Amino acid sequence: MKDLLKVKNLKTHFFDKKQTVKAVDGVDFDIRTGETVALVGESGCGKSMTSLSIMQLVPGPNGKIVDGEVMMGSKNLLKLTENEMCQIRGNEISMIFQEPMTSLNPVLTVGEQIIEVITYHKRLPRKEAVKQAIELLNMVGIPRAEEIITDFPHRLSGGMRQRVMIAMAMSCDPKLLIADEPTTALDVTIQAQILDLMRDLSRKVNTAILLITHDLGVVSELAERIIVMYAGQIVEQASVDDIFDNPLHPYTQGLIESVPDIEGEIGRLNPITGNVPTPEQMPSGCRFAPRCTHAFGRCFEEEPVLLSKRHNTRAVRCFLYDEETGVKNVTDTKNTYS
Amino acid sequence: MLSYIIRRSLMAIPLLFGITIISFGIIHLAPGDPTALLMDPNIKPEDKVAFMEKYGLNDPMHIQYLKWVGNMLQGDFGQSLIRTGTDVSYLIVERLPNTLFLMLVSTLLAVLISIPFGIISARKPYTLTDYSVTFTSFIGLATPNFWLGLVLIMFLSVQLGWFPTGGIATLNEPFSLWDRIHHLVLPAFVLATADMAGLTRYTRTSMLDVLKQDYIRTARAKGFKERRVVYKHGLRNGLIPVITIFGLMLPSFFAGTVIVEKIFNWPGIGLLFVDAAFQRDYPVIMAVTVIAAVLTVIGNLIADILYAVFDPRIEY
């Protein structure tokens, strides 16, 4: 599979008078054509900011992308002018959001909001765009599309609105769909339908999906590859199977253990203690060390790097895995702090 | 929609009656009567009584009111007590268009100036532009209308001679549009400033709030340029709360004309009202009050209809 998007050393910081918040702090990953990649982590770990940085929709004026590259083919998106970027957004990369209730414009009809994307990017005459909008609504499973098209968003349910968002996002056959917690605000039965819909559509037109979520259930449903973020950095990258079968980073292990297992015995959950560090109290060594049950001396002094030596398909940022061998360093784990 | 307008208009009828009862009562509570100002102080008491009798001013209040209402419902507002023999309806018909014209132009001026400035402010919050607009608004808010009017007359009319000092047209000259506009500039501007500051601030706040909404982010994510995002997706949402303020401002515009017309000697209904109030010219006062009340009710109705136009979530 070809690389569609390569993110290199992306840094997005927020500045205010007192401090600099490093929301995204040197993130590298790539997405291949047609692939579904999940970006996972707790609230505040920088996953949404990573996606907004790719779209260059970081809320200004405090937020700024300070470094890095976002390569799409031979183009570095971060070097494009605002006008050129407008050609990419909604066209080659589109996005859906967490809150379908508030993400649609309340004063424009559902149809208008889809049609305007089509006429804007594809430069089609309005009649043609209307026809396509109806097709899109049918495709995302909205009944009576011809009628819904003249309705305003407040008449639709949350699930319906998220379908409309998906129809809008898919209207120009994007190469990449960024879905920022697309099912978080929906109830469980609708969640599954929306996930199925996204999977079907992405297969149909070979659209890659960058799925941002904190819900590992959603991840296992949809994603092929997982990127785990913690405090603005990637801590582990692997295929879905590897992550669930053999999570390497203690943080990933913690995330998986904090999800109730339907087959396992019913016992207490093991949540990760503590909270994501605030920017003022960013630990000097490994950022996860203060919450880590395996942490040892070195973790508090040095910052580990993201390593992918032996594990070619996977990468992990942790001293437990020796730089040379890439296997678990047993002697060190015995020295755990608790 | 039509049935809503009819329903609202019917609901306005008891409201208008209430307004007339209260104003009728208040006006007659005020000390003095028309004879005090009108007549020769040496008038014989029996002549005074005859005058009061002629205009029904000796009747008990409720009888006076009922007589007045009865006549009004037949379209007869009575005759002016001061300008003897002149029908009040004639005075109103002569002057109301002048006032409505002044109000319309000032309202347009206020809207056309404040809303764009509010938007500019909201698009660049906490910048020099925003602070300048805010600063100017507050100066506008703090400046009394009558003072601004007098200062403008003093500088622009008296010293520089750019504008006439008052009136609606140059006397003894045939009608010319340019002359009308020339006379209109200052009063319309002064009247507009009264509500411009508030309208700018409300537009700013509302747009600032709207531009943070999720659907604005959606519009940006669709690749639209800033202008389309702000004007197509933001403005209509941003104007919904401004309509409320606008509806509340229409009556205050009418009140503003009272002062502005007095200062600029604008032959409108406001000037008529001030003079009538000082002279206790009851029929004129009541007629103007009724018209003001009707205009207020219409203003609110317009605001409510505009809601439905701007916000599809509202259905009548």
Side-chain angles (χ1 to χ4, degrees):
Chain A
M1 272 193 284
K2 250 177 50 199
D3 275 340
L4 173 68
L5 194 83
K6 267 184 166 323
V7 177
K8 283 185 208 155
N9 194 32
L10 182 68
K11 289 186 180 172
T12 302
H13 296 177
F14 282 79
F15 300 92
D16 67 18
K17 280 172 198 150
K18 280 176 274 169
Q19 61 188 22
T20 302
V21 178
K22 296 175 177 176
V24 180
D25 197 14
V27 162
D28 300 81
F29 64 92
D30 40 59
I31 299 169
R32 292 183 280 265
T33 310
E35 181 188 38
T36 300
V37 178
L39 202 55
V40 185
E42 280 167 283
S43 311
C45 71
K47 51 194 196 310
S48 286
M49 276 310 142
T50 305
S51 65
L52 289 175
S53 303
I54 295 172
M55 292 289 270
Q56 287 177 52
L57 290 174
V58 178
N62 294 340
K64 270 204 187 82
I65 302 172
V66 289
D67 198 10
E69 283 180 1
V70 178
M71 300 298 295
M72 195 173 190
S74 57
K75 278 179 291 190
N76 180 359
L77 300 188
L78 300 184
K79 290 264 153 62
L80 296 182
T81 63
E82 177 59 23
N83 277 353
E84 288 168 324
M85 198 56 212
C86 283
Q87 300 297 312
I88 304 265
R89 286 187 208 123
N91 193 13
E92 289 183 50
I93 306 178
S94 58
M95 194 159 178
I96 57 177
F97 300 96
Q98 180 173 356
E99 278 296 336
M101 301 310 274
T102 53
S103 291
L104 289 169
N105 193 328
V107 303
L108 300 175
T109 61
V110 166
E112 174 58 27
Q113 296 186 55
I114 302 174
I115 292 162
E116 63 173 347
V117 190
I118 300 172
T119 51
Y120 182 79
H121 285 301
K122 290 186 174 172
R123 312 222 168 273
L124 284 178
R126 201 180 158 84
K127 254 190 183 167
E128 196 57 37
V130 173
K131 216 186 273 172
Q132 283 199 10
I134 293 173
E135 273 171 34
L136 281 162
L137 287 177
N138 278 323
M139 193 172 79
V140 297
I142 288 183
R144 298 177 295 111
E146 292 82 358
E147 292 164 43
I148 297 286
I149 208 162
T150 55
D151 261 346
F152 288 94
H154 67 275
R155 307 188 59 126
L156 304 183
S157 66
M160 283 295 205
R161 289 190 212 184
Q162 197 61 297
R163 285 172 195 269
V164 171
M165 285 296 291
I166 293 173
M168 226 158 68
M170 297 302 287
S171 58
C172 297
D173 299 333
K175 293 185 184 127
L176 174 65
L177 172 68
I178 300 176
D180 189 353
E181 312 236 8
T183 58
T184 307
L186 303 174
D187 65 56
V188 186
T189 47
I190 308 296
Q191 281 187 9
Q193 293 176 9
I194 295 290
L195 291 176
D196 282 345
L197 176 66
M198 283 173 57
R199 183 171 40 221
D200 292 348
L201 289 181
S202 77
R203 283 193 188 142
K204 211 182 276 176
V205 285
N206 205 23
T207 296
I209 297 178
L210 178 62
L211 179 70
I212 291 147
T213 182
H214 59 254
D215 183 343
L216 289 171
V218 170
V219 172
S220 60
E221 187 90 7
L222 202 60
E224 290 148 36
R225 221 147 48 82
I226 294 186
I227 298 166
V228 182
M229 276 187 83
Y230 185 79
Q233 294 178 329
I234 293 178
V235 294
E236 182 164 3
Q237 250 191 71
S239 71
V240 171
D241 293 342
D242 283 345
I243 285 275
F244 285 102
D245 293 346
N246 180 24
L248 294 181
H249 197 283
Y251 178 62
T252 318
Q253 291 166 0
L255 279 183
I256 291 170
E257 273 169 30
S258 47
V259 178
D261 186 350
I262 203 162
E263 281 154 16
E265 55 188 287
I266 301 163
R268 290 182 67 86
L269 285 176
N270 289 312
I272 306 170
T273 52
N275 287 311
V276 179
T278 57
E280 304 98 69
Q281 302 164 313
M282 196 55 83
S284 55
C286 170
R287 295 183 180 182
F288 186 60
R291 299 173 71 187
C292 183
T293 49
H294 303 282
F296 54 96
R298 195 177 169 196
C299 300
F300 294 94
E301 283 144 23
E302 266 180 76
E303 232 189 298
V305 288
L306 191 67
L307 279 182
S308 58
K309 275 222 162 145
R310 278 277 176 88
H311 306 270
N312 252 343
T313 53
R314 47 195 312 191
V316 62
R317 186 192 291 273
C318 183
F319 289 129
L320 291 177
Y321 306 94
D322 188 85
E323 295 178 21
E324 291 308 311
T325 57
V327 292
K328 209 168 187 179
N329 193 326
V330 183
T331 48
D332 276 339
T333 40
K334 284 185 179 160
N335 274 330
T336 49
Y337 288 103
S338 48
Chain B
M1 177 69 98
L2 187 69
S3 81
Y4 172 76
I5 294 173
I6 294 169
R7 206 164 68 232
R8 274 291 302 267
S9 309
L10 291 177
M11 269 158 58
I13 292 173
L15 180 70
L16 288 174
F17 272 106
I19 292 171
T20 55
I21 290 172
I22 292 170
S23 9
F24 199 87
I26 288 176
I27 288 161
H28 284 80
L29 278 178
D33 60 54
T35 55
L37 281 154
L38 185 65
M39 292 166 193
D40 184 350
N42 305 319
I43 191 172
K44 283 184 227 143
E46 53 264 39
D47 285 349
K48 196 171 164 183
V49 170
F51 176 87
M52 297 292 272
E53 201 60 50
K54 182 183 171 196
Y55 288 100
L57 296 169
N58 286 333
D59 294 341
M61 190 108 82
H62 63 277
I63 301 291
Q64 285 191 42
Y65 177 75
L66 288 176
K67 270 190 193 164
W68 177 79
V69 168
N71 290 334
M72 182 198 70
L73 290 178
Q74 294 164 41
D76 177 12
F77 283 103
Q79 289 189 344
S80 167
L81 300 183
I82 308 296
R83 298 158 212 256
T84 18
T86 318
D87 274 346
V88 173
S89 37
Y90 171 78
L91 287 173
I92 300 282
V93 168
E94 187 188 41
R95 283 154 177 262
L96 187 59
N98 292 343
T99 294
L100 289 181
F101 182 56
L102 179 63
M103 268 179 74
L104 184 75
V105 173
S106 320
T107 311
L108 279 179
L109 205 64
V111 166
L112 290 181
I113 292 174
S114 354
I115 290 181
F117 273 107
I119 297 170
I120 290 170
S121 243
R123 283 182 66 176
K124 298 183 172 171
Y126 315 112
T127 59
L128 189 64
T129 322
D130 180 28
Y131 289 134
S132 316
V133 173
T134 304
F135 184 71
T136 320
S137 312
F138 278 121
I139 288 181
L141 204 62
T143 311
N145 252 346
F146 65 88
W147 182 83
L148 182 66
L150 291 175
V151 167
L152 289 181
I153 290 176
M154 197 168 96
F155 285 110
L156 300 183
S157 306
V158 177
Q159 292 189 356
L160 295 169
W162 290 354
F163 297 102
T165 53
I168 193 171
T170 313
L171 287 175
N172 303 323
E173 260 183 38
F175 177 85
S176 100
L177 187 65
W178 169 244
D179 185 51
R180 282 293 171 105
I181 294 172
H182 200 202
H183 280 79
L184 182 67
V185 175
L186 287 186
F189 177 74
V190 170
L191 186 56
T193 51
D195 289 319
M196 230 146 63
L199 218 50
T200 309
R201 298 295 298 163
Y202 276 111
T203 310
R204 175 187 180 273
T205 312
S206 168
M207 279 305 281
L208 208 53
D209 180 52
V210 163
L211 292 178
K212 281 186 203 134
Q213 295 297 312
D214 288 347
Y215 51 81
I216 293 298
R217 187 181 56 186
T218 307
R220 293 215 169 95
K222 287 173 171 181
F224 296 151
K225 302 213 166 78
E226 194 60 19
R227 186 182 299 180
R228 188 185 177 115
V229 170
V230 172
Y231 292 98
K232 180 166 178 184
H233 288 263
L235 189 57
R236 252 183 85 177
N237 285 292
L239 286 184
I240 294 169
V242 178
I243 292 170
T244 318
I245 304 306
F246 181 71
L248 292 174
M249 276 177 182
L250 279 180
S252 88
F253 259 106
F254 195 79
T257 57
V258 172
I259 293 162
V260 170
E261 287 180 5
K262 185 74 187 163
I263 289 170
F264 287 95
N265 201 26
W266 186 267
I269 220 163
L271 187 58
L272 182 70
F273 183 76
V274 179
D275 293 342
F278 280 121
Q279 295 161 337
R280 304 286 184 279
D281 194 346
Y282 299 132
V284 175
I285 297 173
M286 282 314 295
V288 175
T289 308
V290 168
I291 286 165
V294 169
L295 283 180
T296 306
V297 168
I298 292 176
N300 286 338
L301 188 62
I302 290 174
D304 281 342
I305 292 168
L306 280 179
Y307 269 138
V309 172
F310 277 82
D311 190 348
R313 284 165 296 189
I314 291 171
E315 277 169 35
Y316 296 123

